[in-house]
Structure formats: C-alpha cells, structure tokens
C-alpha cells in the first residue's frame, strides 16, 4: 500500500492521508519544494529538515543533462548524491523538455530536442525516462507526458493527450523496479471533455497515483480550479492526487478543498529570491522602503529561523545589497510558511474544522491580483533557464 | 588589558595570545572573515559559529552608505543588526573609500568622495569615522587612514603617511566610548624608511593595537613580507599586530612567523564563490572536469559540513549549474580550512613546534604562482563592487 486515506472533510473534497514510501511516511496534503537540479535552491538538506520538509522533487530532464544519469548512478543514486535521506519524487521532465528545450519535435516514439544548456541533440523515449528514474532511485516516479501550451487548440491538445496515454502504458510496461511508485499524468488542457477522457482512461490503467499536469501555465485561476474539479471526480478515491506546478498559498488551500493531496511548485522559492515574502496576509516585497527601518521580523508570528533571528530591516538591507544570504533567508521563510500552512490545513481536516479554516484564511489573505499574476507568470515562463 | 601575550616561538617571531574584548576572548593568531555589509557572504551567523569563527570584520564605509549608520543604531547596534554576539572589528573604510569611491579628493580635513553605489557626494572626517564606529558598537575600531596605491611615488606615499598620522591623533582625541578598542594603521607603502617612520610615530602615540595597512595590494609577495618585517620590529611587543587584507594560507603562516597576530581578508570567501577550494596542497578549482565523478569530498581529511556531507562530484555539479548552494558549501569549507589552519598554527606555537609545522606546511603546499596571483588580484581590485 502506497497511500492511506485517513480523513475526508464533510463540507468539501479536502482529505488527509499518508504516502507510504521506501524512505518513510509523508503526511498529506503535502507540498514538495522544487529541487530540479538535485538542490532546493540556496538551501542545504539539513535546513530543509529543520524547516520540516518531508519530501522534495527533482527533475529527470535537468539531471539527465547535468550531471548526467550515469554520474548520479556512480555516486550511489540521487538520495546519496544530494544527501537527502527522506522521500524524493522525480518528475519525468516531460513539461521541462517542452517548455525549456529548443527545437523540440515529438512523434509517437518519443521526443527529439536540443538541450537548453549546450544545444546538444537528444532523443528520448518513455521507456528511457523510466529507466533514468529507476537509476536515480526516487521513491515516486512519473510517466513521460506531452504537455501542450495552455492556449493550444483542442485538436493539438487532444493529440498530445492521446500520446500521453500511450506513453503512460509504455512507462507502466517498462517499469522494472517494484520498490518505486509510478504515477500517471492527466492531460487535456482546459477542455473539460478531454480532461474527463484523460482521467477515466488513465484511471482504468490502475496507477498508484495520479497527477494533474498542464495547469497553472498562464490560464485564469478560475479555469484552473474548474479543471481540477472536473478531473478529480473521475480519479479513484483510494489513490493520491497530485497537482503539478501549483504552490501559492491560495492554490494550496483551494486545491486541497477540491481533493488534491500533493503539490509541487517553484513559486515559494523563486519569489523568495525576488524578495517576495509570503504571509497569511499575502506577498510582501522586502525591497520596499517601508521595511528599511522595521525592527520586527517580516512575519512576527512565524517560528522560522529568519523571523526568529533577524529584523525586516536586516532582510531589506541584504536585498538592497543583493547579498546571497538574503535569498537564503527569504527561501527559509517561504518554505517554512508554506509547509506550516499545509500542516495547519491537514490538522483542520483531521479536526473537522477545514471549512472555518478556509473562511478565516480568505478573511486575511490578499491574493496577488490576477493580471499581475498572469503577467509575472508569463515573464517567468519566457525567461527561466535556471533549472527550478 | 586588551591583549595578553601567552607564548613566543624561539625560532621565529610567531606568538600566541588572546584579545580581550567586550564580547569575549579571542585566541590569537586569528583570522577575521570579511563581512563588510554586515554579512559574511552567503553564511548565517549560526554557520560561522558552527565553523568556529571567533570574530568577524565589518566595514564602516559600506555600512555608512547602506543601510546607513542611523538604521543600525535604531536596530540596536551592529551586533544585534547582524545577529552576531561575538566580537566584531569595524574597519574605518579608509581603504575602501580610496579604492571604491569615485572622484575621491583628500585634504587635511577629510575625504570628499562620491558613493560607488549611487554617485551621491559625501565628505567625512576622522572624527566622524570614530563617531560612526562608536554608534555601530564594534569591539575593535580603526582610525581613518589614507591608503595610497602600491605603485605610487615616494612623495605621494609620504604625504599620505603624514596625513594618516595626523588623522590617527585626531581619531584618538575623538574617541568617547572607552569600552571600544582603537587601533592605529601603519602606512608608508613599500618604502622601508617610511614604514619605520610610521611604525615609530604611531607607537609613540600609545594605541591599543597596530594594523599594517597598504599591503597585499598587488606588490610582489617578497616585498609584502620584507615590509612586514621592517614594520613589526618597531611595534610594541605587548600590543596586537594586525595585517590588513591578507588571508591566503601562506600569507597567514608567513605573517604569523613574522609576528602578526590578526588578519582579515576576503580571499577565502571570494575565491570560494569562484570555485577555488583551499587545502593543505593549495587551491583546487572545483569546476575542473576531474571532479565531475569524484566520490570523495574535496578534502577527505576535512571535518567541515561540506566535506562531511557531499562528494566533490556534487560540488562540481552545483558549480556547473551556478547553484547558490555551491557558493555556500565552498565558503563553509574555505573558512573552516583557514580557521582550522590558524588554530593548528597556534597550537604549534604553544607546543613549541611552530618551525616544524612551517616546514611541513611548505612541503605539501603549492602556492598560486606569483604571476597568476598578481593578475587575479589586479582584475579583482578593478572589478569589485560587491562589498566584500
């Protein structure tokens, strides 16, 4: 058994459970920090443990290009390489190939692409992606999927979905290691019909877990949420559901309310390095002059190392000087905040108080306005090459 | 009493002692990591303590410009601002004004300069520099000095020296806080006559400690060492001697052999961020392909967190990807190595084995060749704006 459902909320689809993995038990809902290149940017594994992070994500595409799967194999696998002895999930890298690689050509066999780092040409198949992930040795591994853009036509999205289904079957057949847990990825873009078709089809193949891919890519938030709702109802109750690429505080809360158990996103760590600190009120830009003389920590109620040790003024100073310590301290705070939020949500589900928790959250929280959010996301998608 | 001399080496001028400061006792010889902007780049104060660092340096010029002396005063002083409760030395910033600021004009009153950050114009006097340092609240503070270039003419260096002497007296008179320890700075460039004159004159003023400034600025290493020798003999035996801006392993060993008690330098932290790891064999460039598959740590005998936790291959990977964690891990190693080296030297002095320690060191150590060293130093001096 890879997943145990413990409690469901009577007023929503929220649920609390546990992932059972070779490297330990992970309470759900859970947020996985992104460590694509075998490092959660700026932090040591010890700091991740101190924050309370139960599981991290790494990326097969990134690690295949650098340092190479063979290097990590020689170093004794991904856990040992990055000195992280708790559970790891490796993404197949499907999304990263389609969004980062140059000259990406897909056919039924696999994907031909050029590395975004050195332009070298590669062809990889679903079978190889499974083999790479078996060599890396993560606890949970993902099928190779084809991930269309959020504004692609129905025909294009349908073709990608059908191919994703075929590849999911091939990945399933290619799996040799039985100690790793393989998840499928539902595609279908923002088309409810396709999402339902994809969820049903993949559910019929009997995977150990189901991810929802191809969301949070620039579409409006209400479309994201509606698509999650359409999809979740067709996924098996007894299996974990994983929303890929979502990680703002409101994404987490509303995803959980719709039945999601697992999340990953570079958002908390990426915005930290831009000086955006997350609190229950929303995002605060530490570069703002208002913080230059603030003796209190950025989030006075927070128990993280950053808030316990430093004033907002010190953090403001570090960002003014572009000091690397600033990026670290902001990352520690944001991951602590997100991890703590998810734990509080889990406790609320267990205590039967999720609905009031959700109401209280929204009474305090000021989300990033939709236009700013989409424009920032778009800029990031265009510019990112940093492997997060 | 601010300094206690415990042991002198019978075969050299090496000595072991203790600095007694308001924030605790510091064993000497000691190396001070550079935290110009109230942060030792990439590290938390907790990490510095874990490494065993007994004291750090910050810079009045940098802190005056950002965040401003008044901000740090409002935050309760420099110790509290940067969350470091052990001793701090603040440099006056004389050297930084002359080397970093634009349009720097000096007269007997003080220095007129433009900020290297925003071009704003400032005029500061020796009295103000003392006042700033009293507000910051470091344990040891420095006089304002005029620091000529290493290739300036004798006349220019002499004028700067004479002014440095006048300023030293003004700084002495301006001091109000008696809990802070004020050091003078010997100048005189590479001219033995001037160095002797400067050392004698400042010694006659009765400072609590004596720094040697204006060295390690691009002159050949034998000139640096000869100048230290000329100077040290004229400084009082009972007072600490501080060689400013020197911090390579061989600088430390040979400086100590010549009677130096204190050092500061950005070298160990700066070269770390460039991927140069210090060991008893010399500098190793972790970006070198030879490390890409090395399972051992970079320095197998080292007890630092980096060497205890990660393979050289992982560190190589982080640097290949320009991951910030790489800069941190290399910084931790280099500071641990340097701090440990100085401790070992101190123990050798106390045990009467300094001479054999020195011989053994040179049997293993391959210094950076002189031409490379001078060219790298020159490039760095021209390009640095990062506040280290």
């Amino acid at each position: 058994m890879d997943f145990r459902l413990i409690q469901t909320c009577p007023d929503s689809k929220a649920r609390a459970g546990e992932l059972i993995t070779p490297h330990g038990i992970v309470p759900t809902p859970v947020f996985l920090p992104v460590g694509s290149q075998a490092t959660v940017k700026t932090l040591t594994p010890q700091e991740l443990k101190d924050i309370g992070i139960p599981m991290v994500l790494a990326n097969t595409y990134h690690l295949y290009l650098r340092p190479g799967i063979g290097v990590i194999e020689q170093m004794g696998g991904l856990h040992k390489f990055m000195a992280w002895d708790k559970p790891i999930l490796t993404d197949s890298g499907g999304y990263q190939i389609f969004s980062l690689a140059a000259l990406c050509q897909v056919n039924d066999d696999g994907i031909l692409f050029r590395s975004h780092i050195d332009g070298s040409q590669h062809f990889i198949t679903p079978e190889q992606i499974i083999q790479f992930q078996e060599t890396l040795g993560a606890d949970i591994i993902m099928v190779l999927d084809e991930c269309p853009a959020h504004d692609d036509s129905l025909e294009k999205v349908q073709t990608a979905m059908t191919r994703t289904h075929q590849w999911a079957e091939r990945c399933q057949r290619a799996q040799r290691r039985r100690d790793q847990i393989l998840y499928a990825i539902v595609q279908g873009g923002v088309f409810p019909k396709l999402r339902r078709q994809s969820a049903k089809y993949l559910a019929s193949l009997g995977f150990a877990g189901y991810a929802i891919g191809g969301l949070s890519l620039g579409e409006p938030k209400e479309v994201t949420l509606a698509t999650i709702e359409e999809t979740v109802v067709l996924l098996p109750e007894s299996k974990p559901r994983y929303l890929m690429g979502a990680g703002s505080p409101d994404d987490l809360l509303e995803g959980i309310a719709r039945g999601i158990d697992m999340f990953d996103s570079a958002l908390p760590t990426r915005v930290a390095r831009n000086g955006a600190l997350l609190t229950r009120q929303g995002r605060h830009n530490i570069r703002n002059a208002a913080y230059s003389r603030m003796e209190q920590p950025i989030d006075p109620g927070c128990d993280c190392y950053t808030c316990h040790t430093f004033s907002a003024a010190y953090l403001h100073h570090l960002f003014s000087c572009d000091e690397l310590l600033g990026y670290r301290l902001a990352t520690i705070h944001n991951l602590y905040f997100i991890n703590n939020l998810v734990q509080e949500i889990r406790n609320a589900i267990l205590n039967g108080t999720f609905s009031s928790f959700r109401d209280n959250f929204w009474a305090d929280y000021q989300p990033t306005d939709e236009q700013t959010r989409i424009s920032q996301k778009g800029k990031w998608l265009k510019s990112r090459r940093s492997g997060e």
Side-chain angles (χ1 to χ4, degrees), chain A:
Chain A
M1 190 177 63
D2 314 312
F3 178 65
R4 184 162 41 224
L5 190 59
I6 296 173
Q7 184 90 36
T8 23
C9 167
D11 313 313
S12 71
K13 292 202 169 336
R15 40 197 236 160
E18 279 174 352
L19 303 174
I20 296 101
T21 85
H23 286 84
I25 289 174
V26 176
T28 63
V30 65
F31 171 80
L32 280 56
V34 169
S36 302
Q37 304 189 129
T39 163
V40 174
K41 284 188 186 297
T42 82
L43 300 187
T44 61
Q46 188 54 53
E47 282 167 324
L48 293 169
K49 281 185 195 171
D50 292 344
I51 291 167
I53 300 298
M55 185 172 189
V56 300
L57 172 141
N59 192 287
T60 309
Y61 167 74
H62 286 286
L63 296 176
Y64 163 77
L65 293 180
R66 271 191 320 210
I69 304 296
V71 169
I72 297 178
E73 180 177 26
Q74 192 188 328
M75 296 303 134
L78 184 56
H79 284 88
K80 193 167 169 222
F81 183 60
M82 65 188 288
W84 176 255
D85 57 8
K86 288 172 176 280
I88 300 175
L89 181 150
T90 41
D91 187 10
S92 61
Y95 169 65
Q96 284 68 28
I97 299 176
F98 287 100
S99 61
L100 286 177
L103 301 172
C104 183
Q105 287 168 16
V106 59
N107 63 36
D108 288 346
D109 274 356
I111 316 172
L112 181 75
F113 64 91
R114 286 187 182 279
S115 157
H116 71 285
I117 299 159
D118 63 5
S120 57
Q121 187 168 292
H122 303 263
F123 183 78
I124 57 166
T125 65
E127 287 79 9
Q128 277 176 309
I129 282 289
I130 293 299
Q131 194 195 311
F132 295 156
Q133 292 184 90
E134 294 193 334
T135 304
L136 293 173
D139 299 78
I140 298 178
I141 64 177
M142 304 298 297
V143 300
L144 183 65
D145 59 333
E146 181 179 346
C147 192
H150 76 95
D151 48 5
D152 274 350
S153 68
L154 188 137
E155 288 65 36
K156 232 173 148 179
V157 174
Q158 186 160 27
T159 307
M161 181 195 74
T162 307
R163 194 172 280 135
T164 296
H165 295 171
Q166 292 163 359
W167 288 359
E169 291 191 67
R170 284 169 58 186
C171 285
Q172 218 172 17
R173 281 196 302 271
Q175 197 186 3
R176 292 289 164 271
R177 279 182 66 167
R178 289 298 149 189
D179 56 335
Q180 291 181 304
I181 305 155
L182 177 64
Y183 283 19
I185 304 176
V186 175
Q187 288 288 355
V190 294
F191 304 103
K193 194 186 87 180
L194 297 185
R195 284 283 169 181
R196 285 195 295 270
Q197 202 180 326
S198 185
K200 263 193 220 167
Y201 185 83
L202 292 169
S204 77
L205 298 179
F207 279 86
Y210 295 88
I212 304 179
L215 287 180
S216 296
L217 296 181
E219 77 283 359
K221 221 159 223 194
E222 66 266 23
V223 174
T224 316
L225 294 175
T227 309
I228 295 168
E229 289 169 19
E230 292 283 353
T231 310
V232 162
V233 288
L234 296 165
L235 294 175
E237 189 76 13
S238 61
K239 303 290 176 183
R241 301 141 180 183
Y242 165 25
L243 179 59
M244 305 185 86
S248 73
D250 48 317
D251 282 348
L252 295 173
L253 182 69
E254 292 306 314
I256 292 167
R258 286 163 179 79
I260 301 294
D261 306 297
M262 302 166 64
F263 301 83
D264 85 275
S265 168
L267 184 136
T269 44
R270 173 172 48 84
V271 303
R273 299 195 307 281
N274 290 329
L277 281 290
L278 303 172
T279 74
R280 287 293 274 273
Q281 283 72 50
R283 286 194 211 178
H284 306 275
N285 185 353
I286 191 67
R287 294 183 189 268
N288 195 307
Y291 295 107
S292 65
R293 287 175 176 267
M294 188 184 282
E295 284 180 65
Q296 284 205 308
I298 185 83
D299 190 0
C302 177
D303 283 325
C304 81
Y305 172 72
T306 303
C307 290
H308 255 230
T309 314
F310 301 102
S311 60
Y314 184 68
L315 214 53
H316 174 85
H317 167 64
L318 294 179
F319 272 91
S320 300
C321 300
D322 297 318
E323 282 286 353
L324 298 186
L325 181 57
Y327 309 149
R328 283 183 63 187
L329 295 179
T331 303
I332 287 172
H333 170 77
N334 278 3
L335 283 187
Y336 185 92
F337 173 81
I338 287 289
N339 198 57
N340 190 252
L341 176 67
V342 172
Q343 280 175 1
E344 285 182 0
I345 293 173
R346 185 174 197 268
N347 290 337
I349 298 167
L350 292 173
N351 299 333
T353 56
F354 177 75
S355 287
S356 61
F357 184 96
R358 189 178 179 185
D359 292 343
N360 290 339
F361 176 90
W362 280 112
D364 295 333
Y365 189 77
Q366 181 65 47
T368 310
D369 76 89
E370 191 66 1
Q371 215 173 339
T372 311
R373 193 184 69 77
I374 291 182
S375 127
Q376 285 177 352
K377 182 95 192 184
K379 272 187 214 163
W380 175 66
L381 288 170
K382 281 201 184 71
S383 74
R384 90 215 154 88
R385 283 290 183 277
S386 72
E388 188 175 47

